[in-house]
Amino acid sequence: MTRQARTDKSFPAAGGQPAAAPEELAILGIGLPAWNRLLLVAGLVALVVLPFLVEGFTTFQMTQVAIYAIAILGLNLLTGYNGQFSLGHSAFFAVGAYTAAIAMNHFGLPYLLTLPLAAVISFLVGFAFGFPALRLEGLYLALATFMLAIAAPQLLKFSLFEPLTGGAQGLVLMRPEAPAFTGLDDDQWLYFISVIVMLALFWLSGNLIRYRIGRAIMAIRDNPLVASALGINTPLYKTVMFGISAAYTGVAGALSAMVVGFVAPDSFNFLLSVALLVGVVVGGIASMRGAIFGGFFILYIPTVAESFADVFSKGLSWAAYGVLLLAVIYVMPSGISGLIDAVIRRIAQPKQAPRRTDPAADVATAGPGPSNREKK
Amino acid sequence: MAFLQVDGLDAWYGKTQVLFGCDITLDEGGVIAVLGANGAGKTTLLRALSGMVRRQGRIVIDGTPADQLSPEAVVRLGVAHVPEGRGTFGRLTVEENLRLAAIIRKDAAGVRRDFTRVYDYFPRLHERRSQQAGTLSGGEQQMLAIGRALMLAPKLMLLDEPSFGLAPQVRRDIFLILKDISRSSGVSMLVVEQNAALALDLASHAYLLETGRIVLSGTADSFLADDTVRRTYLGY
Amino acid sequence: MELLLQQIIAGLATGGIYACFALAVVMIYQAIDHFNFAQGEMAMFSTYVAWQLMAWGLSFWLAFGLTFVFSLVMGAFLYLVVLKPVQNASALSQIVAFIALMCIFNSLAGTIWDYSVKPFPSPFPETALFGALVTGHDLGMIAVTLIMLAGVFYFFKFSTLGLAMRAAAQNPESAQLCGVRVQMMTALGWALAAAIGSVAGMMVAYKVFLEPNMMYSIILYGFAAAIVGGLDSPAGAVAGGFLLGVVENLTGVYVPGGSELKLTFALLLIVVVLMFKPTGLFGHRVVKRV
């Protein structure tokens, strides 16, 4: 095999095809890993300066995006990485929100301490639910969790619990105030709390996925039978993942209770579960940054749909939302995250190689999409 | 006149080309074996013949050009493809699996005869006829797959690794039955195998597939006599 | 004792509603190996079509027949236009497609026929039976469900088309190799499921009244009944529907707090059933091999 005339030090001439290794790709002469770091830093800077540039309501909305992103990430840990369905995450969101509200209102717990408490309690509830869920697969699990989503508001309204939960009326809580030394207003303060919690949880799940437990849970997703044959304690991992997933969503719920300053049973109905699932799929299954895109989608797209629909009739806004959803899964079957990857593959050039005239030549070859109709 | 004539067949798996210009001839009533290592393109060859993957080239089955036909249409030419993994319908009973394979047939009497024939070949299937097919053992599922193929009343059987994952005794039984089917009903067979010894015993002619190209063809005896084939695929 | 009996009879009457939908759920599951979460909304839309036809002066049974045909076409159309393009996408993407359909149907019905609650007629005599617990309509509805059950059972068990449809859903590739036209089977499965759903909708609308959100909890019970009974067993699904109706009624009466927590108890029942019998009471177990 003849060696190429110009050798690249970081590339040990593997067969003389420099375009093959993905880390050698570059856009505008900058390698992809460098782009990643650059975008990460830019994103962090944007997160910090944003609340000083926009008005209070937008800050409030950005806070909600961060909260949804946490919840979506939690669901994604279960659905995307572990292959378990859940249509019941609104219930865990409710557990977190009510934990925070009750701890603050009835027990005077400082609001920051309610976050770990919400995480612990949601974890326990999720773990407990994970046990029966263990015996269920796919659709059965989807249904059991669906029932959980439906039952949660009923339980919260249940008269025996009313002294604690406030029944159908819900609970009003004091919105946390920004400490004077920070010089921030309350919206900005809550924004920073939420964003910091979000970043911490993202970092945590990144580690979770990379290390042993992550490999184990993904093995379970891809082939449960083989995974257990390899000695992975499938039931334990699955149940723990249910707990962790619930804990993430519970923390999101607790933050949401603080930010909104109000909890009521009907805000945690099945539609919230649906919104979270839509967020997972639209953002990108098994993609961490996808959770943020998902957060934006579920906060803003209903409004966008409404303005589309206004052209015809106000009542059609949900129809417009449905059509938008369909459009998204047709155009981006692997979510926004997948689309971005595809775009990067399309525009990236092999580092230092001469520019090609045909960009399509660079598209990576891909096999047919995963078929959900494959049978065991 | 050859029953199956393939000229210059290319085929793709997704966007990757797997087969390059394959030529194959199979006489009516004949049995040929296609040998090759894992990933040589054996399964893709069968799938290309059945119309399940993108392909290009000339395929003539029983005088009919078949390179543009859908899998359902290829079946109607009398081609029974016993797929990799056996293609069992796990939640249907054994009998329903067999019934299903006969749905395109119009001759009720012939179907009844073939039921008897399948159950004669494989008494085990008769014992388990009302059991869900998913509960069968690997060998029984292979029997069912061959039984399904027979229920199509085929003129050509495409067999994808019929020995795969079976115990030696079961393997031998299956190949004995295949031999008998070929002799008694005059059906043509194309057998794809990794187990060259079994395949060459069944077939009269053989082809060797390496990375998507046919690199050797000839009579089964000439294959058995070839040193390279013997060392690589027969292991002695 | 008499109260118990009365409650059981009343429960069977409610259970008839769930049984109706459970049957539609099993139908679609057999045809596409999947749930259709939009099934309730599709049935709701069909029921509105029937209402509209009657508002234009057609008799109940004529409207019923036309709606049945309309639903067949709608089901096949939805599959070919909306679901077929995503059938190779992940299961989650498909669920999102179902969610999208739910939104679209709900919003369309609300826009075309507004959100006010409309009464829906019954073709059966409205005489009250068994101490006013059961009406002629209840019996008629149960009869219709049982007739549909017999039809579905026969179709799947004995007809060639039903066999081909089950095969196409379970293993499309292998079905193709047996000469089954898989796309056509799936479209037909959608059509039949939509039609059965429309019958269920027209039967229950008399009891729950017609409005865009009428199916929200009913379809849930339908899914639950189908799961409790076993997704591959039409008879099990119907039995599951009746069982659910009875349990719901009895907990409402005999368990303290039961009337507030009906759904919660239904959830518990399902979880308990699935714990002990993961494929439902009447479902078949399939052994999986690596």
Side-chain angles (χ1 to χ4, degrees):
Chain A
M1 199 152 294
T2 49
R3 195 170 270 233
Q4 296 248 315
R6 187 189 58 229
T7 48
D8 190 327
K9 273 186 196 118
S10 64
F11 196 87
Q17 284 179 313
E23 57 274 15
E24 281 306 300
L25 291 176
I27 298 170
L28 303 175
I30 302 172
L32 288 188
W35 269 111
N36 269 341
R37 283 192 294 275
L38 208 68
L39 285 176
L40 189 66
V41 172
L44 287 176
V45 171
L47 279 178
V48 173
V49 298
L50 185 94
F52 302 107
L53 300 178
V54 298
E55 37 184 313
F57 183 66
T58 312
T59 307
F60 173 74
Q61 284 187 315
M62 289 300 129
T63 313
Q64 283 189 307
V65 169
I67 291 170
Y68 281 138
I70 295 170
I72 291 171
L73 182 64
L75 182 55
N76 215 339
L77 285 174
L78 187 72
T79 305
Y81 292 99
N82 201 202
Q84 290 182 285
F85 272 86
S86 173
L87 290 167
H89 266 49
S90 59
F92 302 126
F93 201 90
V95 168
Y98 269 86
T99 303
I102 292 169
M104 282 162 74
N105 270 16
H106 294 288
F107 302 100
L109 199 71
Y111 59 88
L112 282 177
L113 289 183
T114 65
L115 293 178
L117 183 69
V120 169
I121 293 188
S122 308
F123 177 86
L124 292 176
V125 173
F127 191 76
F129 192 79
F131 267 114
L134 268 183
R135 306 209 44 172
L136 309 179
E137 277 174 26
L139 292 172
Y140 295 92
L141 184 61
L143 187 97
T145 52
F146 188 18
M147 300 291 290
L148 184 67
I150 300 288
Q154 270 202 336
L155 278 170
L156 292 172
K157 284 182 207 166
F158 187 40
S159 49
L160 281 180
F161 302 152
E162 199 162 328
L164 215 52
T165 61
Q169 302 300 316
L171 294 168
V172 177
L173 48 153
M174 291 283 292
R175 274 186 92 196
E177 286 167 17
F181 71 88
T182 57
L184 299 170
D185 67 35
D186 295 350
D187 280 334
Q188 291 167 334
W189 174 241
L190 283 167
Y191 168 85
F192 281 114
I193 290 177
S194 304
V195 165
I196 287 168
V197 171
M198 176 184 86
L199 291 175
L201 290 177
F202 268 64
W203 176 79
L204 206 65
S205 65
N207 287 338
L208 188 74
I209 291 157
R210 253 194 305 280
Y211 295 118
R212 197 185 151 82
I213 178 168
R215 301 237 181 78
I217 60 178
M218 281 188 262
I220 292 169
R221 171 192 66 186
D222 295 336
N223 198 331
L225 279 176
V226 171
S228 51
L230 291 175
I232 295 171
N233 188 342
T234 306
L236 180 69
Y237 274 117
K238 277 185 132 173
T239 326
V240 167
M241 271 322 285
F242 224 103
I244 293 176
S245 170
Y248 267 70
T249 309
V251 169
L255 282 170
S256 151
M258 283 174 213
V259 170
V260 179
F262 174 62
V263 292
D266 287 324
S267 28
F268 308 111
N269 60 17
F270 171 59
L271 291 177
L272 176 62
S273 282
V274 168
L276 293 178
L277 196 68
V278 165
V280 167
V281 175
V282 168
I285 295 164
S287 153
M288 283 179 41
R289 64 179 172 191
I292 296 177
F293 301 133
F296 274 102
F297 189 90
I298 60 182
L299 190 72
Y300 282 109
I301 291 304
T303 333
V304 173
E306 210 166 304
S307 54
F308 275 172
D310 275 352
V311 180
F312 306 103
S313 153
K314 231 183 175 65
L316 284 176
S317 64
W318 280 104
Y321 178 73
V323 172
L324 266 173
L325 267 188
L326 285 177
V328 168
I329 55 171
Y330 289 157
V331 179
M332 306 183 269
S334 43
I336 298 174
S337 202
L339 183 73
I340 291 176
D341 284 341
V343 168
I344 289 174
R345 274 202 303 275
R346 194 168 261 267
I347 61 174
Q349 307 277 338
K351 202 172 185 179
Q352 295 172 9
R355 270 172 190 273
R356 299 195 189 178
T357 44
D358 175 18
D362 248 338
V363 180
T365 53
S371 162
N372 72 310
R373 306 199 64 170
E374 272 171 21
K375 294 292 119 56
K376 287 109 197 169
Chain B
M1 174 72 194
F3 187 80
L4 169 71
Q5 182 71 47
V6 178
D7 296 308
L9 181 68
D10 297 341
W12 288 261
Y13 184 77
K15 287 183 182 164
T16 320
Q17 187 169 359
V18 178
L19 291 186
F20 304 85
C22 295
D23 303 328
I24 287 174
T25 309
L26 169 56
D27 289 330
E28 185 155 5
V31 181
I32 57 172
V34 175
L35 309 179
N38 248 335
K42 301 189 304 282
T43 294
T44 305
L45 172 66
L46 294 194
R47 292 169 66 86
L49 294 178
S50 285
M52 300 174 78
V53 293
R54 188 157 75 85
R55 78 270 202 224
Q56 204 168 31
R58 209 167 71 97
I59 302 172
V60 179
I61 299 172
D62 201 9
T64 313
D67 45 82
Q68 303 289 334
L69 296 182
S70 69
E72 297 96 310
V74 173
V75 173
R76 286 172 170 78
L77 291 178
V79 177
H81 183 159
V82 178
E84 189 186 25
R86 301 166 189 133
T88 308
F89 300 95
R91 287 200 307 269
L92 301 187
T93 64
V94 169
E95 185 137 332
E96 282 170 338
N97 266 272
L98 295 174
R99 241 177 74 207
L100 179 76
I103 59 164
I104 57 167
R105 293 174 61 182
K106 303 276 177 280
D107 55 327
V111 171
R112 268 196 304 279
R113 224 174 23 246
D114 280 337
F115 258 113
T116 324
R117 178 157 153 236
V118 169
Y119 286 145
D120 278 349
Y121 276 130
F122 307 111
R124 291 288 280 283
L125 294 183
H126 188 255
E127 280 165 36
R128 316 209 152 182
R129 63 188 181 281
S130 49
Q131 208 170 310
Q132 279 198 341
T135 61
L136 298 181
S137 73
E140 289 163 345
Q141 291 201 19
Q142 187 62 60
M143 294 173 195
L144 180 58
I146 293 171
R148 272 210 331 268
L150 288 178
M151 292 306 293
L152 282 163
K155 294 184 205 151
L156 167 63
M157 285 171 82
L158 307 174
L159 298 148
D160 198 342
E161 304 234 10
S163 78
F164 183 79
L166 301 183
Q169 182 56 45
V170 183
R171 218 187 273 168
R172 264 194 301 279
D173 291 349
I174 297 253
F175 269 80
L176 279 177
I177 287 171
L178 288 176
K179 216 174 214 174
D180 191 70
I181 291 168
S182 146
R183 238 180 254 138
S184 64
S185 64
V187 53
S188 318
M189 287 184 185
L190 195 167
V191 188
V192 144
E193 260 295 345
Q194 286 205 64
N195 189 323
L198 278 173
L200 290 174
D201 182 44
L202 177 69
S204 59
H205 286 74
Y207 293 82
L208 179 61
L209 202 57
E210 265 175 19
T211 55
R213 289 178 178 81
I214 287 176
V215 292
L216 195 66
S217 67
T219 62
D221 292 338
S222 72
F223 263 62
L224 288 168
D226 186 290
D227 278 348
T228 330
V229 172
R230 230 184 46 212
R231 239 175 290 123
T232 321
Y233 297 100
L234 295 165
Y236 60 84
Chain C
M1 194 59 221
E2 198 174 322
L3 177 71
L4 177 69
L5 200 67
Q6 282 180 343
Q7 288 304 326
I8 289 175
I9 293 170
L12 287 175
T14 336
I17 301 179
Y18 308 149
C20 246
F21 270 98
L23 199 56
V25 168
V26 168
M27 182 77 209
I28 194 82
Y29 184 76
Q30 293 281 4
I32 64 171
D33 210 27
H34 227 294
F35 280 158
N36 172 4
F37 288 97
Q39 189 144 31
E41 307 302 292
M42 284 163 60
M44 174 272 296
F45 195 83
S46 294
T47 311
Y48 266 108
V49 170
W51 179 87
Q52 185 65 65
L53 290 172
M54 281 184 273
W56 286 335
L58 270 59
S59 73
F60 184 95
W61 290 114
L62 190 55
F64 182 94
L66 287 176
T67 304
F68 191 87
V69 173
F70 165 83
S71 307
L72 282 172
V73 176
M74 176 178 80
F77 175 82
L78 283 180
Y79 166 68
L80 293 172
V81 172
V82 180
L83 272 308
K84 205 176 130 194
V86 290
Q87 67 183 1
N88 289 324
S90 70
L92 270 174
S93 297
Q94 297 193 25
I95 288 189
V96 171
F98 292 138
I99 292 169
L101 278 181
M102 266 169 99
C103 295
I104 292 171
F105 275 115
N106 196 291
S107 168
L108 273 183
T111 308
I112 301 175
W113 292 288
D114 75 60
Y115 287 90
S116 67
V117 176
K118 294 180 169 56
F120 195 89
S122 166
F124 305 109
E126 294 177 30
T127 43
L129 303 156
F130 304 107
L133 277 169
V134 177
T135 63
H137 177 83
D138 291 327
L139 293 184
M141 182 176 72
I142 291 172
V144 168
T145 306
L146 293 178
I147 291 168
M148 281 203 303
L149 170 65
V152 168
F153 185 79
Y154 177 85
F155 177 75
F156 279 132
K157 201 70 199 166
F158 299 108
S159 83
T160 307
L161 204 55
L163 180 64
M165 194 182 276
R166 282 156 71 202
Q170 279 181 42
N171 193 337
E173 196 162 84
S174 193
Q176 266 188 330
L177 292 179
C178 292
V180 175
R181 297 186 211 277
V182 172
Q183 302 288 349
M184 218 159 85
M185 287 305 126
T186 315
L188 186 63
W190 270 83
L192 287 173
I196 293 176
S198 78
V199 173
M202 289 183 275
M203 288 295 123
V204 305
Y206 168 78
K207 295 191 75 163
V208 301
F209 298 109
L210 188 57
E211 53 122 352
N213 296 323
M214 66 191 270
M215 296 299 172
Y216 190 63
S217 62
I218 293 178
I219 191 66
L220 183 71
Y221 279 107
F223 284 134
I227 291 228
V228 166
L231 277 171
D232 56 354
S233 157
V238 169
F242 286 121
L243 179 70
L244 214 58
V246 171
V247 169
E248 185 194 18
N249 241 301
L250 293 184
T251 48
V253 175
Y254 291 102
V255 179
S259 56
E260 284 177 81
L261 295 178
K262 276 182 176 180
L263 266 165
T264 312
F265 282 112
L267 167 72
L268 264 176
L269 173 74
I270 286 162
V271 172
V272 168
V273 166
L274 292 179
M275 293 275 284
F276 292 101
K277 210 139 181 306
T279 49
L281 291 175
F282 303 90
H284 297 286
R285 177 155 217 139
V286 176
V287 180
K288 283 207 185 123
R289 292 170 186 282
V290 180

